[in-house]
Each structure stands twice: as structure tokens, then as C-alpha cells.
Amino acid sequence: DGGITQSPKYLFRKEGQNVTLSCEQNLNHDAMYWYRQDPGQGLRLIYYSQIVNDFQKGDIAEGYSVSREKKESFPLTVTSAQKNPTAFYLCASSIGSRTSGRYSYNEQFFGPGTRLTVL
Amino acid sequence: SQQGEEDPQALSIQEGENATMNCSYKTSINNLQWYRQNSGRGLVHLILIRSNEREKHSGRLRVTLDTSKKSSSLLITASRAADTASYFCAPADRGSTLGRLYFGRGTQLTVWP
């Protein structure tokens, strides 16, 4: 089955620890995204990647890091520098296409999310 | 930013009634997308309407777009309890080269049996 998966579903972290959230897709999508969602809030973009080996900061990148070494994988590390990491984290992917220097805005496919709690 | 703003924040209706949610945005768009999120789950894409389209249908969903007013609406007809979810609009900024979407805070729809 094609899709996008995230693991783990629930993650508990002690203060001062770094943790890595996994995101994998087998949709052959070029673009991948990480969002954070707090209770009753919308989605805020952390990082995104339009192509392998390249990524850009979103609106709230401080305290987070990513890598995009493979097309199908886009792991997110929540570092100890992130002061309030407890949240629901969503990964998404989309077909990336670029025309005349501009990326297209295609439908995004979301994973089931990882709920991170800091103890 | 080009964040969409949904209105109302919360909507509560009975099964069989229609539900209308609105979205306003600030700048010119390439397209506007609507997504649905069930509690504790990821988002699911519902419909994409391009800037040169005025109305689009998908099953019980009807989306309209008024670029002169910078607004869109999502209508769910004959709602069901299973439609209970949060609904988000995501405008795609025409002026950006980055290909990212901006999600608002959503409308929480509750449909009572």
C-alpha cells in the first residue's frame, strides 16, 4: 500500500534529551513537510524539503533539525533547545513540481502523527 | 503571511443539516485547498480549487471561491455524525516561489445524531 507513515505514535522525552521522529513515504513524492500542532491550534510549519539533500526552515524551526538524505525519508529531531516541545507532530508529502523557478502547490498527504510529551 | 482564517471557529448542527464554513485570506492565490482532520489524526485533503475556478463539487462537498473578496466557503450538505471533525483551509500564495501552504486554526464541526 502506498502511503506515509510516522513512528512512534506516542513518544515521551525527558527534559534535556534529543529525540528523533521518523517519517517515511513510498509515494515517490519529492516534497516533504513537518508541522507542529498544539491543542486547538492550526498547523505551524517547522521545516520543509522540496527535493533530496535540500530543506528550508519554516515558521518555527528553532530547536528542531532535519535531514533529507533519501527521497522517502525526512526525520525530525527535537533538540533540547526546543523549550516547549510537547505537541502533536505531523509529517506530510506532496508531488513536487517546479516550473519557471516556482514550485507547484499540490495536494499534501499526511501521516497519522506523533504525539510528543516531555516529562 | 498568507494564512487562511476560518470562520466560525466552532459549528454545531444536527444530522441532515447543511454546514457552511468560510475562509478568508490576504493576498493573491494560485489555489486554495480544504482539509479535514479527525481528532488525533492526520489531515486528509478534501478539495483543491484553482484561482480561475469559482465553484467545485465533490460528493456532498461544495467549495466556492471569490477572489475579489479573497474568500472561500466549504458547504457540506446533509451532514452526518461522521462529518464531525476540524476543517482547515490552506491558501497557496501566488507570489511565493516556495510551494508551501499556510494552514489556519480551523473550524471545529460537531454533528449531533
Side-chain angles (χ1 to χ4, degrees), chain B:
Chain B
S1 71
Q2 178 58 299
Q3 187 175 27
E5 293 186 13
E6 296 89 349
D7 175 68
Q9 290 186 21
L11 181 59
S12 185
I13 60 174
Q14 294 289 130
E15 265 192 329
E17 294 181 342
N18 295 341
T20 300
M21 288 157 269
N22 302 297
C23 171
S24 60
Y25 57 91
K26 294 179 180 176
T27 66
S28 296
I29 60 170
N30 178 290
N31 65 59
L32 186 142
Q33 302 178 32
W34 284 91
Y35 290 79
R36 163 192 169 129
Q37 183 182 33
N38 288 84
S39 181
R41 304 285 188 94
L43 277 69
V44 175
H45 182 267
L46 295 176
I47 201 162
L48 181 154
I49 187 164
R50 302 190 188 285
S51 59
N52 60 353
E53 296 175 313
R54 291 296 167 257
E55 188 171 311
K56 204 161 183 180
H57 297 254
S58 177
R60 292 184 295 112
L61 305 181
R62 171 179 168 247
V63 168
T64 60
L65 180 65
D66 187 335
T67 53
S68 66
K69 295 181 179 178
K70 294 186 169 56
S71 67
S72 175
S73 67
L74 170 66
L75 168 68
I76 304 174
T77 60
S79 62
R80 307 166 181 167
D83 294 327
T84 294
S86 291
Y87 293 82
F88 296 88
C89 71
D93 188 349
R94 179 185 295 277
S96 172
T97 59
L98 303 175
R100 58 162 291 185
L101 298 175
Y102 292 85
F103 289 87
R105 296 190 174 194
T107 292
Q108 172 62 53
L109 173 65
T110 302
V111 182
W112 299 99

Side-chain angles (χ1 to χ4, degrees), chain A residues 7-65:
Chain A
S7 63
K9 186 172 182 178
Y10 299 97
L11 185 58
F12 298 91
R13 189 193 93 170
K14 293 181 180 179
E15 285 195 25
Q17 281 184 335
N18 292 356
V19 289
T20 297
L21 282 59
S22 169
C23 178
E24 304 276 334
Q25 53 96 2
N26 61 4
L27 300 167
N28 200 33
H29 286 170
D30 286 308
M32 296 187 75
Y33 312 82
W34 273 107
Y35 295 93
R36 169 181 171 143
Q37 188 177 33
D38 293 282
Q41 302 296 312
L43 277 66
R44 291 186 289 171
L45 184 64
I46 305 172
Y47 269 98
Y48 61 112
S49 168
Q50 295 286 5
I51 198 167
V52 174
N53 293 321
D54 189 31
F55 51 82
Q56 289 78 38
K57 292 182 179 180
D59 302 318
I60 55 165
E62 185 175 351
Y64 299 97
S65 66

